[in-house]
Amino acid sequence: MNKRKMFVVLLAAILLAAGCASSPAPTASQPASAYAQSEPGSQTAIASEEARRTADQSRVLDWANRGLGEDASPVWLLPAIRGNFRIFKQDWQIGDDKVLKVGVSRAPALNAAQTIADVQYAARLANQLKQSVITKAAITLGDDDQFSIVNDAATKATVTIAGQERLTDFWQLTETVDKNGRTVTAYNYYVVYACDPDVWSKLVAKYLLDVTGNLQDEKAKQTIAAMFNEIDAETRYDRERSEAEFIAEIRAQQAALQSPIPPAAQRAAYRSGDPARIAAASVTPNDTDYIAALAAIAGIE
């Protein structure tokens, strides 16, 4: 069998696997809620205290369904943004196997924030898949040139959200006084999408097909195609992050926006296994508003 036919077979296998792949749902062994208290003196507690000390002064002026008695921050919201959907699934009576993702945005006007959240949601999924693909490529591929080519291909690949259901949204109007005494008001907007596991698998398969379609090297194509099962399982359910981890990732992304990581250093970042370094390595100028929204949520603008 020649290389071209072999590659076609691999891609066919990806699509077949996407139609029937399944992954175990999160179990009780996963970390506890993001609201769990940190041990005094721990790194998490120290980082949390530092974040509170250096945070801009911020308050929520208004929020969705305020007149109906909704809290300014629903109990499920912060855990979900950090990757823990257990409270949300309980409140909405959603099965453990359902794939849930959150879109986030920030804008001066509510309608603009809503539009940005929905439009950028697909880009957020693509970035998540890119991080998974490139992290594995950084370890698997033999040299920096191959890595750079795959990195470029993964950056160009896009995601469509066909088959996903828009479950709910929530917004907050915030007023922030920064360290220079300037007052800024903006809307933070959050939207939750859901899909069945087979829909997520097909989304992953289509993304990998787009990546391999931008590659010329047959070996690199086969390497990426063979990653399907790992990437599908890894990205289906978000990794839950502690407050300290969440803040570290945002700060690393903010720094990368100011001083982009050179291509030569990106492979080392992906190979490090450090989530903050990996998140920073994947940043592009298009992520500016998204990172600003996360920073506002974390109180570290």
Side-chain angles (χ1 to χ4, degrees), residues 215-249:
L215 298 175
Q216 300 299 320
D217 183 83
E218 292 294 329
K219 182 178 180 181
K221 287 184 178 183
Q222 293 170 22
T223 298
I224 299 304
M227 293 178 181
F228 168 75
N229 287 331
E230 289 182 78
I231 293 171
D232 181 43
E234 180 179 282
T235 59
R236 184 172 295 187
Y237 302 109
D238 290 350
R239 178 183 63 84
E240 185 177 348
R241 293 158 292 175
S242 67
E243 180 182 12
E245 290 171 330
F246 185 58
I247 290 170
E249 287 186 22

Side-chain angles (χ1 to χ4, degrees), residues 38-218:
S38 302
E39 290 294 329
S42 69
Q43 289 185 341
T44 297
I46 292 171
S48 299
E49 179 57 33
E50 174 66 12
R52 282 188 284 270
R53 188 181 65 79
T54 60
D56 294 337
Q57 298 178 26
S58 181
R59 64 189 180 115
V60 179
L61 302 177
D62 197 8
W63 57 90
N65 298 321
R66 179 183 180 185
L68 299 178
E70 177 66 88
D71 291 336
S73 183
V75 68
W76 57 264
L77 182 58
L78 185 57
I81 291 171
R82 293 181 186 164
N84 175 358
F85 284 95
R86 285 192 291 278
I87 297 174
F88 184 90
K89 287 185 174 182
Q90 290 171 3
D91 289 350
W92 287 73
Q93 298 183 344
I94 293 174
D96 284 343
D97 66 333
K98 207 77 166 179
V99 180
L100 299 180
K101 303 287 180 180
V102 180
V104 180
S105 69
R106 180 172 170 85
L110 179 57
N111 59 347
Q114 178 178 356
T115 300
I116 293 169
D118 287 323
V119 169
Q120 288 194 344
Y121 175 67
R124 292 300 96 223
L125 298 186
N127 186 269
Q128 181 186 13
L129 293 172
K130 172 189 170 182
Q131 287 187 29
S132 183
V133 169
I134 299 304
T135 298
K136 290 174 173 52
I139 297 171
T140 305
L141 297 177
D143 57 57
D144 290 342
D145 288 341
Q146 279 188 323
F147 169 78
S148 295
I149 292 170
V150 172
N151 191 5
D152 182 64
T155 300
K156 291 178 179 177
T158 59
V159 163
T160 60
I161 59 173
Q164 298 204 30
E165 178 185 1
R166 194 179 193 277
L167 290 182
T168 190
D169 54 24
F170 189 79
W171 57 265
Q172 298 168 324
L173 174 61
T174 63
E175 178 184 81
T176 302
V177 180
D178 66 19
K179 289 178 283 291
N180 297 316
R182 295 173 299 188
T183 300
V184 177
T185 58
Y187 286 89
N188 294 334
Y189 194 90
Y190 321 94
V191 57
V192 180
Y193 281 88
C195 69
D196 292 328
D198 65 325
V199 171
W200 181 257
S201 295
K202 290 174 182 176
L203 181 151
V204 174
K206 176 62 170 59
Y207 177 82
L208 293 183
L209 286 172
D210 284 351
V211 172
T212 55
N214 288 319
L215 298 175
Q216 300 299 320
D217 183 83
E218 292 294 329

